[in-house]
Amino acid sequence: MEYAIELRGITKTFGEVIANNNISLAVRRGEILSLLGENGSGKTTLMNMLSGIYYPDAGQIFVDGKEVTIRTPKDAYALGIGMIHQHFKLVDVFTAAENMTLGMEDGSSLKLKDVKQKIREICDKFGFHVDPDKKVYDMSVSEKQTLEIVKVLYRGAEILILDEPTAVLTPQETEQLFAVIRNMKAHGKAVIIITHKLHEVLSISDRVSILRKGEYIGTVDTADATELSLTEMMVGQKVELNIDRPTPKNPSPRIVVEHVTCLSPEGVKMVDDVSFTAYGGEILGIAGISGCGQKELLEAIAGLQTVEAGGSITYYAPGETEKRELIGCSPREISQLGVSLSFVPEDRLGMGLVGSMGMTDNMMLKNYMNGKSPFTERKAPRILAEKIREELEVVTPGISTPVRRLSGGNVQKVLVGREIASSPTVLMTAYAVRGLDINTSYTIYHLLNEQKAKGVAVIYVGEDLDVLLALCDRILVLCGGKLNGIVDGREATKEGVGLMMTNLASEGGEA
């Protein structure tokens, strides 16, 4: 059988690190192939060689049975290969039609009228909806992703690579995307999806190829696979895929948020009159479409976001009746009040860690102010760094290696490990398992449950509703910065929460 793309013996190294070692796999036309593997297994590196971002050290690439050389993204486009990256490559101030022409040699001579017409033709053919005149900054996350897919189709892509395409989509948006992908398959396109969500792999793909530590493990028909069998192939051993959710013991109020409103620099309400209570000994999930105020709400509690007058954020220490008002306090002042608060922000290297520093120095950032000498104490941070490296299996050449050189998943392990190690009474995490493989994700879930058992109030912002419904005791749903209800995690449904996220329904109030 002739394949749309065939890789033979592909090898890629970065210094002493072997990212891909002698990998051979293929995808047919009219087929959806999922690419699975743990963090650092080489999935994205392999696809970056197909899209012209990297060039292989050894091996051959065949398109439609002919050997080709792909040195640049331009070469990839010429061969009909288009990659939709996890982080969108769009210019916010341009319209959809204007973004379409970027990077095209004849872009200056293209008439926008003709561009818009071609966009409409693509949308009609595959079932998309794109407004050619809409500015990117006015688009939702799913609209931006749709535009990225239309952009590669506009350039004539017959082979599409999607990197974590459902990471920030609601269940309804995911189903719409899958319908379009199936439509592209029906039109003979070859589609490769990189994802960590096993239930989506089983739902959408025809075959699954698995990588482990840069090695090709094998390809199986999806019809013959289960979540458990795929996980065992990914990690090389049996893995228990049940998320524990112990019943909260003696939950007590820890953080009480009342009428909190936060504005963007432009004066837009990012958080709009939100009130809730987070209890010690429970995991409170926060669900919402990306950009609906989750980030700003956590930052307000952490002292990083200004709260408008009339709002209140009150902290109750374990076993004490005295309360402490946090509004108006900086993170350092919150710590000086005796509040042990840990925050894993969404922006790992922008807010959470310093990319140019190694693990030891990043451990030290958390408590260097506690030193009694003008010289920084490095022994304890070094021991902590080694402990986190061992327990969370952080893949790094050494604890002094700058963390920016680590994969996204390993950076996340360093950040989560550091924040949990500080023995918090309140632990807030924004997308703690984003980009993490299934094995490491379950390690993080276990760590969060350990904190819950210790009486910590855990606030968990997540994008995977299946995880929110399996892990969290209660789920707070935000829509457009407003609180659209709080539901019991044991009784809520995925569809119901998804509808609440898009403001189409509300399932009760405080649970």
Side-chain angles (χ1 to χ4, degrees):
M1 173 182 286
E2 188 175 289
Y3 293 103
I5 278 195
E6 186 178 3
L7 307 178
R8 296 182 191 171
I10 296 293
T11 296
K12 181 66 180 176
T13 60
F14 297 95
E16 296 180 359
V17 178
I18 302 174
N20 295 132
N21 185 25
N22 193 30
I23 291 178
S24 299
L25 60 84
V27 58
R28 308 177 182 105
R29 292 203 177 276
E31 176 182 58
I32 300 170
L33 177 77
S34 288
L35 195 57
L36 275 181
E38 293 188 275
N39 295 115
S41 62
K43 305 182 301 295
T44 302
T45 299
L46 188 65
M47 291 301 102
N48 280 340
M49 283 185 278
L50 280 182
S51 62
I53 294 174
Y54 295 147
Y55 186 74
D57 299 330
Q60 300 166 289
I61 299 174
F62 295 83
V63 175
D64 293 330
K66 297 177 182 177
E67 186 173 358
V68 298
T69 300
I70 304 174
R71 294 186 178 276
T72 66
K74 182 181 174 182
D75 292 341
Y77 272 127
L79 292 165
I81 302 170
M83 184 166 177
I84 295 90
H85 298 270
Q86 192 171 354
H87 302 290
F88 304 141
K89 314 294 183 185
L90 300 169
V91 178
D92 276 3
V93 296
F94 284 4
T95 64
E98 289 166 342
N99 268 279
M100 210 58 65
T101 64
L102 293 175
M104 298 183 71
E105 289 186 354
D106 56 349
S108 59
S109 62
L110 287 174
K111 294 181 180 178
L112 280 180
K113 179 182 176 182
D114 296 336
V115 174
K116 293 174 187 178
Q117 180 58 34
K118 189 171 179 182
I119 290 173
R120 293 187 185 98
E121 290 172 1
I122 293 171
C123 290
D124 291 342
K125 182 176 180 180
F126 294 105
F128 289 109
H129 175 72
V130 171
D131 180 351
D133 296 312
K134 193 170 187 178
K135 300 274 190 183
V136 170
Y137 60 70
D138 285 329
M139 294 181 182
S140 66
V141 175
S142 63
E143 287 177 309
K144 291 177 184 177
Q145 186 174 66
T146 300
L147 176 57
E148 284 282 26
I149 296 172
V150 173
K151 195 168 78 173
V152 298
L153 292 172
Y154 184 95
R155 285 163 165 73
E158 292 293 324
I159 301 152
L160 290 92
I161 305 164
L162 291 86
D163 191 359
E164 299 284 354
T166 65
V168 290
L169 301 184
T170 66
Q172 288 81 1
E173 289 169 337
T174 297
E175 277 308 313
Q176 290 171 6
L177 174 63
F178 283 1
V180 169
I181 291 174
R182 291 186 183 103
N183 206 351
M184 290 193 291
K185 167 188 166 180
H187 280 85
K189 306 287 186 185
V191 183
I192 304 173
I193 298 177
I194 302 172
T195 180
H196 287 106
K197 299 179 181 179
L198 294 177
H199 61 282
E200 293 183 355
V201 170
L202 296 172
S203 166
I204 188 69
S205 60
D206 299 298
R207 293 188 302 144
V208 188
S209 293
I210 292 97
L211 303 184
R212 187 197 311 150
K213 296 180 180 177
E215 305 275 354
Y216 172 70
I217 301 303
T219 298
V220 297
D221 291 333
T222 310
D224 301 327
T226 65
E227 287 195 18
L228 201 56
S229 69
L230 292 175
T231 303
E232 288 175 11
M233 289 183 72
M234 281 169 57
V235 303
Q237 61 189 32
K238 287 188 177 294
V239 176
E240 189 63 50
L241 290 181
N242 292 319
I243 300 177
D244 290 331
R245 180 166 46 194
T247 303
K249 295 179 180 178
N250 305 316
S252 55
R254 188 72 66 243
I255 293 282
V256 178
V257 174
E258 295 179 303
H259 305 296
V260 164
T261 296
C262 300
L263 305 181
S264 70
E266 294 78 25
V268 177
K269 287 184 179 180
M270 302 303 294
V271 179
D272 190 356
D273 193 26
V274 170
S275 301
F276 67 93
T277 299
Y279 293 87
E282 77 156 6
I283 298 180
L284 174 67
I286 299 182
I289 298 170
S290 181
C292 277
Q294 307 96 312
K295 170 177 174 283
E296 289 78 11
L297 182 57
L298 295 195
E299 288 180 357
I301 297 172
L304 298 167
Q305 185 80 229
T306 302
V307 176
E308 295 300 295
S312 169
I313 300 175
T314 310
Y315 171 79
Y316 293 84
E320 297 180 18
T321 56
E322 181 187 355
K323 60 184 181 180
R324 301 172 176 87
E325 178 57 50
L326 303 187
I327 286 184
C329 296
S330 67
R332 184 181 298 179
E333 290 168 340
I334 289 174
S335 178
Q336 290 169 345
L337 284 174
V339 180
S340 183
L341 188 150
S342 287
F343 180 29
V344 179
E346 180 179 4
D347 187 355
R348 301 165 184 170
L349 291 177
M351 286 180 63
L353 301 169
V354 176
S356 59
M357 290 183 175
M359 286 182 64
T360 300
D361 290 344
N362 272 290
M363 297 303 118
M364 200 162 53
L365 289 176
K366 186 79 176 174
N367 54 18
Y368 75 95
M369 290 296 296
N370 299 336
K372 297 180 174 59
S373 140
F375 300 101
T376 53
E377 169 58 50
R378 300 181 64 84
K379 182 179 179 182
R382 187 168 58 249
I383 292 172
L384 177 58
E386 288 288 7
K387 181 183 178 185
I388 290 173
R389 178 187 182 183
E390 181 180 345
E391 291 184 356
L392 295 185
E393 299 179 350
V394 178
V395 179
T396 175
I399 58 174
S400 60
T401 300
V403 295
R404 69 162 178 262
R405 296 186 187 172
L406 309 185
S407 71
N410 285 301
V411 170
Q412 189 74 332
K413 291 179 187 179
V414 174
L415 181 53
V416 172
R418 184 191 72 185
E419 292 304 306
I420 287 178
S422 65
S423 301
T425 54
V426 178
L427 172 62
M428 302 190 298
T429 68
Y431 310 107
V433 298
R434 177 181 282 173
L436 294 185
D437 57 73
I438 190 77
N439 207 26
T440 308
S441 296
Y442 276 79
T443 300
I444 300 296
Y445 305 147
H446 177 67
L447 290 173
L448 296 180
N449 271 319
E450 281 185 349
Q451 296 302 302
K452 169 183 168 179
K454 292 177 181 177
V456 175
V458 180
I459 302 177
Y460 177 90
V461 175
E463 57 206 0
D464 190 331
L465 282 185
D466 291 292
V467 171
L468 281 166
L469 292 167
L471 177 70
C472 302
D473 300 293
R474 294 182 303 140
I475 301 171
L476 180 156
V477 185
L478 290 177
C479 180
K482 291 179 177 289
L483 176 64
N484 204 26
I486 300 178
V487 297
D488 188 318
R490 292 166 176 79
E491 298 177 359
T493 65
K494 184 176 178 180
E495 293 73 23
V497 175
L499 288 172
M500 292 174 70
M501 289 164 60
T502 53
N503 209 25
L504 297 176
S506 178
E507 289 194 0
E510 179 82 33

